[in-house]
Amino acid sequence: MSIEVRNLTHCYSEGSALRTVALDDISMTIEDGEFLGIIGHTGSGKSTLVQHLNGLLKPTSGQVLVDGEDLNGEHVNRRALRQRIGLVFQYPEYQLFEETVEKDIKFGPSKMGYDDKTCDRLMRESLPLVGLSEDILKRSPFELSGGQKRRVAFAGILAMNPDVLILDEPAAGLDPAGQKEIFGYIETLRDQGKSIVLVSHDMDEAARIADRVLVLKKGEQVFFGSPEKLFSQETNSYAMRLDKPCLVQTMSELKKEYPYINDTVFDVAEAAQSLVFGDLEEVDAQ
């Protein structure tokens, strides 16, 4: 499933003195099976953009095409397209409302028209994807810890089996262990071939996981490409006021002493390999 954004502009309070341009002429694509990271500072338009990707907002101008079909077209079945694009809001645990975890996770599939047997199967298949066991199903979601609530809300979206999963700051408010856990689940879904859009302030994780990165600044698209290209262009990333991932910063400092190493790596194992094998190549050259 592919999503194409064409010249998307969105203005709040259009036609009034309070008119604000939240997005200005955004164009990009999300290919089938791709992992896209969307980054930018607070107020850059990230959350506004992802709400367009499943039709929660309508553009002031421009289009969002899902498999070539205009999401806001006159005769489009918007509900059917939305069911294929799961959106996990920031702090999704605030959306929990049912008496039990079981009912909460099954709510989405039931509204899609699945019978109870199918809803039960989808619910149980979603649990291990977010590290939950079935012994939690009869508990009230409001009795759970913050991290457990987050996982239940996550499972509720996964139970609808969307083709594209959009995650708006999924690790916000969690401690480092909880953040690592959430990103582990996201990587599992990526490895299963899901198309994933990740909105994140965590530059390290976005750079490490994403195939491509979209950078927004005050509603404008200032970069769209690979993480390697973004962080190898120091002048551009400085102009965007982006902090380099910690590993890239470390490797950049090391490169001053060892110029043969690769300083645009986002995985610790790759960094270690660059240091070790780069050093061996330097010795051989001498």
Side-chain angles (χ1 to χ4, degrees):
M1 182 180 193
S2 64
I3 299 177
E4 181 182 0
V5 176
R6 291 183 182 173
N7 306 112
L8 178 67
T9 294
H10 185 87
C11 301
Y12 290 107
S13 303
E14 180 71 7
S16 77
L18 300 176
R19 180 180 183 270
T20 302
V21 180
L23 295 172
D24 187 10
D25 196 28
I26 307 298
S27 294
M28 58 98 176
T29 56
I30 305 166
E31 303 295 344
D32 187 33
E34 181 176 26
F35 195 121
L36 173 69
I38 300 178
I39 59 179
H41 294 289
T42 301
S44 61
K46 304 186 299 297
S47 294
T48 300
L49 175 58
V50 296
Q51 289 180 66
H52 278 281
L53 300 183
N54 75 341
L56 286 180
L57 293 176
K58 289 187 176 182
T60 303
S61 63
Q63 294 177 298
V64 178
L65 305 176
V66 179
D67 282 344
E69 188 172 9
D70 188 346
L71 187 55
N72 297 287
E74 186 176 350
H75 302 293
V76 72
N77 187 342
R78 192 174 294 108
R79 180 180 179 184
L81 289 177
R82 281 175 178 165
Q83 291 174 351
R84 299 175 63 193
I85 305 170
L87 173 57
V88 181
F89 289 99
Q90 190 175 11
Y91 302 108
E93 57 271 25
Y94 294 165
Q95 299 167 238
L96 302 176
F97 66 95
E98 285 284 8
E99 297 173 352
T100 66
V101 169
E102 178 179 1
K103 288 182 179 180
D104 222 304
I105 296 176
K106 291 169 70 172
F107 179 81
S110 70
K111 293 303 179 182
M112 294 174 68
Y114 292 120
D115 58 41
D116 192 62
K117 183 178 180 180
T118 302
C119 289
D120 191 73
R121 175 179 60 79
L122 291 169
M123 173 196 67
R124 294 181 191 280
E125 288 177 351
S126 72
L127 293 175
L129 296 176
V130 294
L132 293 174
S133 60
E134 294 187 11
D135 60 9
I136 203 174
L137 292 176
K138 300 303 181 184
R139 295 179 61 184
S140 166
F142 305 106
E143 297 175 351
L144 305 177
S145 68
Q148 287 174 318
K149 288 178 181 178
R150 182 76 53 93
R151 286 182 280 169
V152 169
F154 203 168
I157 299 296
L158 294 178
M160 293 189 285
N161 196 29
D163 296 314
V164 178
L165 187 61
I166 302 172
L167 305 164
D168 190 356
E169 297 283 0
L174 298 180
D175 59 23
Q179 292 177 13
K180 183 177 180 180
E181 197 173 59
I182 287 292
F183 280 111
Y185 304 142
I186 293 170
E187 288 189 76
T188 298
L189 294 169
R190 177 200 62 185
D191 294 341
Q192 292 178 349
K194 288 278 187 188
S195 299
I196 297 177
V197 178
L198 172 69
V199 175
S200 181
H201 280 98
D202 192 324
M203 208 66 65
D204 293 79
E205 291 296 346
R208 184 175 65 84
I209 304 175
D211 298 310
R212 289 191 292 174
V213 175
L214 173 71
V215 182
L216 298 177
K217 182 180 180 182
K218 296 182 179 179
E220 296 183 356
Q221 177 178 326
V222 293
F223 179 85
F224 183 48
S226 70
E228 291 81 6
K229 185 176 181 181
L230 172 61
F231 293 109
S232 65
Q233 297 177 343
E234 188 166 349
T235 302
N236 286 348
S237 58
Y238 177 78
M240 297 173 206
R241 300 184 67 183
L242 296 176
D243 294 325
K244 283 187 175 183
C246 292
L247 188 57
V248 174
Q249 292 182 39
T250 300
M251 295 296 283
S252 296
E253 289 300 313
L254 288 170
K255 193 175 180 69
K256 295 175 183 178
E257 295 295 326
Y258 307 100
Y260 46 83
I261 68 171
N262 179 10
D263 63 344
T264 52
V265 293
F266 309 104
D267 180 82
V268 172
E270 289 182 22
Q273 186 177 38
S274 177
L275 285 167
V276 172
F277 288 99
D279 185 66
L280 290 174
E281 290 173 3
E282 182 75 3
V283 170
D284 289 341
Q286 294 175 352

